[in-house]
Amino acid sequence: MIRISNEYKHLRLQIDSLAVFAAVKRSPVIKALCRLLDALAEGKPAEITVGLYSQVVEELFPHSTNLGEYISKLVVEDENFYIKDVAASADIDPRIERAVRNELSVLQNVALLDSEAIIRDIAFDDFLPQWISGSVDIAVDFNENIRNIRKTGYGIFAKFDFFRVENGKIRPVAHPDYQSLDQLFGYERERDLIMRNTEAVLSGNGSNMLLYGDAGTGKSSTIKAVAAHYAPEGLRLVEVKKTQLYQIPAIMEELSANPLKFILFIDDLSFSGNDDNFSALKATLEGSISGTGDNVTIYATSNRRHLVKETFQDRAGDELHLSDTIQETMSLAARFGLTITFQKPGKDEYLEIVRSLAAEYGIDMDEEELFRKAEAHALRKNGRSPRTAKQFIELLKIGI
């Protein structure tokens, strides 16, 4: 029993020694496990250790029943100074490399903890739930992630694909709302251009892109679908609101050393006459001292070709150099390297979208009747568009 207590004590001290992967030992599961190891090392009775064992299970099971896989995931997703230096191709001190190898070995020992053996040491003869252990190689998983870091990323960017900006910080979107590419119908030419530019983004050569056109034509849906499609290749999407445009330089600075590629997504972009955000975005796209990094590209959507709300008074104002004012207004849209237009579909294209959506949703209806009702729905709504077609099919699906 003394030998067993010493083994638990030694493992507990090893966990305390973690420095590179210090964040791992602060996870709720590992903290609960440390409390259990302390009690076992001190020979505490079952009246205490049973409850501590149950706390480990309580923290672990919502994530996984496999302790080894849980720890491996913590290690792979950990955002520490070592992984950042590796991602930036910095020179690593051999002493740090040695520390990393040792800590991976410690974490492997933790992953090998056998719940059945612990239950025997607790000496509790009733039921206790057991976890799976020993089914992973922590070092192999970590080194595999290092080799693929330009696709897998680290930290929150290894866990999530979609993000938003909140209070100047990049926050993950746990449950993003998007359609897959095979759920989008029509606009094949436009979608192909977006995908080709996005593939260029992944290679470091893509252009900032503006999707302009009628409402409901699928501009935003296409960007989100494309971003999700290329996420396994190392692409992440960060949504930026119009009121947050002044924060873009700081966001790009934060992302500049990251090995992944990022799309800063600005939806429904438009400006009024005297809008500070206009100048902020214009400077970011071209002319600012910071500019956009090789791993950050801006994708925007708008219902306005030139992004700025204009009036006849603007064009017939009292400025001495009116042409300069007009050029200033149009200059922002011109700074996007690629502009793709989404126009409302014609009747044939609209009905083809309806037909495809009906097949996807399992709508069983005579095609002539389907098309007649689809056209009537479009008349009642804002004309023909993919959004109108989808709303129509969704209403049919629920019997309205």
Side-chain angles (χ1 to χ4, degrees), residues 30-64:
I30 303 302
K31 288 171 71 174
L33 192 58
C34 285
R35 292 192 293 269
L36 175 62
L37 292 174
D38 284 337
L40 291 170
E42 295 169 10
K44 297 290 186 181
E47 286 81 2
I48 295 175
T49 52
V50 166
L52 294 174
Y53 178 93
S54 296
Q55 287 177 18
V56 176
V57 175
E58 177 186 350
E59 297 291 352
L60 175 63
F61 277 15
H63 305 282
S64 174

Side-chain angles (χ1 to χ4, degrees), residues 14 24 58 73 85-86 113 124 206 241 285 300 307 373 383:
Q14 283 185 316
V24 173
E58 177 186 350
K73 193 168 186 288
D85 286 347
V86 169
L113 273 172
F124 184 62
K241 303 293 186 184
L285 288 170
L307 304 178
K373 290 187 174 183

Side-chain angles (χ1 to χ4, degrees), residues 341-365:
T341 304
F342 278 66
Q343 296 178 330
K344 284 191 175 183
K347 178 179 179 180
D348 291 343
E349 188 176 6
Y350 169 70
L351 294 178
E352 182 57 37
I353 293 172
V354 169
R355 179 190 289 113
S356 300
L357 285 169
E360 181 185 340
Y361 278 71
I363 301 296
D364 184 16
M365 180 181 289

Side-chain angles (χ1 to χ4, degrees), residues 15 18 20-31 33 59-60 63-64 66-80 83 104 107 110-111 136 138 141-142 145 153-156 158-159:
I15 294 174
L18 296 176
V20 178
F21 296 99
V24 173
K25 67 185 178 185
R26 291 192 288 270
S27 74
V29 173
I30 303 302
K31 288 171 71 174
L33 192 58
E59 297 291 352
L60 175 63
H63 305 282
S64 174
N66 190 316
L67 179 63
E69 289 182 357
Y70 172 80
I71 293 174
S72 181
K73 193 168 186 288
L74 285 180
V75 171
V76 166
E77 295 175 351
D78 188 32
E79 188 173 349
N80 55 62
I83 198 72
L104 291 173
L107 290 164
V110 178
V136 297
I138 304 292
D141 289 349
F142 179 74
N145 185 69
Y154 57 80
I156 60 172
K159 301 178 187 179

Side-chain angles (χ1 to χ4, degrees), residues 151-152 157 160-161 163 231 234-237 260-263:
K151 292 184 178 181
T152 57
F157 300 110
F160 304 98
D161 300 330
F163 302 84
L235 184 67
R236 302 292 183 266
L237 184 142
L260 298 173
K261 304 295 183 182
F262 294 88
I263 290 173

